[in-house]
Amino acid sequence: MFRKLIAGTALGLSMMASGAQAEGLNLTFISHSSASNTFWQSVKKGFDDGCARVEATCQLILTQQEGSVEQAIANLQAAIATKPDAIFVAIVDDKAYDAVIKEATDAGILVLAVNVDDSEGAKGNARKAFIGQGFIAAGYSLAKAQAENFPKEGPLNLLVGVNAPGQTWSEQRAGGVMKYLEEYKAEHKDREITITRIDSATDLALTADRIGAYLNANPNTTAYFDTGYWHAGVAKVLKDRGVEPGKVLLGGFDLVPEVLQQMTAGYVQVQIDQQPYMQGFMPVMQAYLYKTAGLTPSDIDTGQGVVRPEDVPKIMEMSKQGLR
């Protein structure tokens, strides 16, 4: 999937260089994720395809450590020094990116927030527009869809995992999940409903360990909501323990192979798609139109599509092509 993976800056970070290179548009994409995060494979596919269409020189730069804001900021600063036409950046922290992005815009570089935005949008950061998912609405949709699978009687013990405490995408998705669950609880006053939040990590093995330990202490847990795709690790724990699919309901975000496998096995009932290919492709088109036609970039919501097990066969075919 990756055309080329090379060492990045002196900090030991990673860069995925696009194969599309031509005179004209020069674009840099700064991610907060590492090469091990399979979600970004589809983003890169969209980014590469967009760059090939407009014959741009492009590079997608990843961090060495998953979710490292410090490494992402260092990469952003290094990118500004190369004076590209545009920088796409996932703004995962409301404060850390502000000064650096202002530096970029002051230097005449177009900056688009992609995948993650400042929680206050344009009011909180100097970026020009945002291409990505509305996280609160997406979290709400996840919880609402999974609620259809709740047992009709008896107590409900609901666990919400915040994979990256303090980071906008995780906090807002969790907030959307909690919002719906609180509404559900208010509408079902005749039932005992417990809602718990937990720091669940951005690593399949670590999330599996933390949630697995929680399930040991709380065997009556009804459902676990993840703000990413790391509940796939929890599904594996349940299978290894001989727990039947559906005993503990699982749901989260992104259609990575690990999750699709667990949906097929019946352990994951609901997943929300944010269309990563679109997040890679559309910023390139906006930057191209901005430079060639002076068209102002605009916000694009890449969606909150609800995916269930019956949808998996078709999605897996598209996943093989890097489109989902």
Side-chain angles (χ1 to χ4, degrees), residues 204-283:
L204 285 168
L206 187 53
T207 299
D209 287 344
R210 291 183 181 180
I211 305 306
Y214 181 91
L215 295 177
N216 279 339
N218 300 273
N220 59 344
T221 300
T222 307
Y224 168 63
F225 297 88
D226 199 89
T227 58
Y229 65 83
W230 295 279
H231 54 302
V234 181
K236 186 176 185 304
V237 168
L238 294 174
K239 182 178 180 180
D240 290 346
R241 293 179 179 179
V243 179
E244 64 183 31
K247 176 66 175 177
V248 179
L249 301 172
L250 299 177
F253 296 82
D254 302 333
L255 305 179
V256 300
E258 297 91 335
V259 167
L260 295 177
Q261 293 168 9
Q262 296 302 340
M263 291 191 86
T264 300
Y267 283 96
V268 176
Q269 292 74 38
V270 181
Q271 199 74 0
I272 302 296
D273 181 21
Q274 63 172 317
Q275 302 188 104
Y277 181 91
M278 189 176 181
Q279 293 181 11
F281 188 88
M282 294 308 296

Side-chain angles (χ1 to χ4, degrees), residues 92-252:
V92 298
D93 185 285
D94 278 356
K95 302 296 183 183
Y97 290 79
D98 290 354
V100 187
I101 289 178
K102 187 176 186 305
E103 177 186 343
T105 58
D106 288 347
I109 300 171
L110 172 66
V111 179
L112 300 179
V114 181
N115 183 250
V116 187
D117 194 13
D118 187 289
S119 64
E120 295 186 33
K123 293 181 180 179
N125 192 279
R127 95 294 184 274
K128 198 71 171 179
F130 171 58
I131 297 93
Q133 184 179 73
F135 297 123
I136 295 175
Y140 190 94
S141 294
L142 171 64
K144 183 177 181 180
Q146 188 68 288
E148 298 174 8
N149 299 313
F150 288 171
K152 303 304 179 184
E153 299 179 349
L156 296 176
N157 295 282
L158 310 172
L159 181 63
V160 181
V162 184
N163 300 90
Q167 293 196 13
T168 306
W169 63 272
S170 188
E171 293 285 358
Q172 289 192 343
R173 281 174 173 168
V177 170
M178 299 283 283
K179 184 177 187 295
Y180 179 81
L181 295 181
E182 292 292 352
E183 290 178 4
Y184 186 94
K185 182 176 180 179
E187 293 173 0
H188 297 80
K189 295 181 179 179
D190 58 325
R191 301 183 69 177
E192 180 185 343
I193 300 177
T194 302
I195 304 169
T196 305
R197 169 183 163 130
I198 189 172
D199 175 358
S200 52
T202 55
D203 178 85
L204 285 168
L206 187 53
T207 299
D209 287 344
R210 291 183 181 180
I211 305 306
Y214 181 91
L215 295 177
N216 279 339
N218 300 273
N220 59 344
T221 300
T222 307
Y224 168 63
F225 297 88
D226 199 89
T227 58
Y229 65 83
W230 295 279
H231 54 302
V234 181
K236 186 176 185 304
V237 168
L238 294 174
K239 182 178 180 180
D240 290 346
R241 293 179 179 179
V243 179
E244 64 183 31
K247 176 66 175 177
V248 179
L249 301 172
L250 299 177

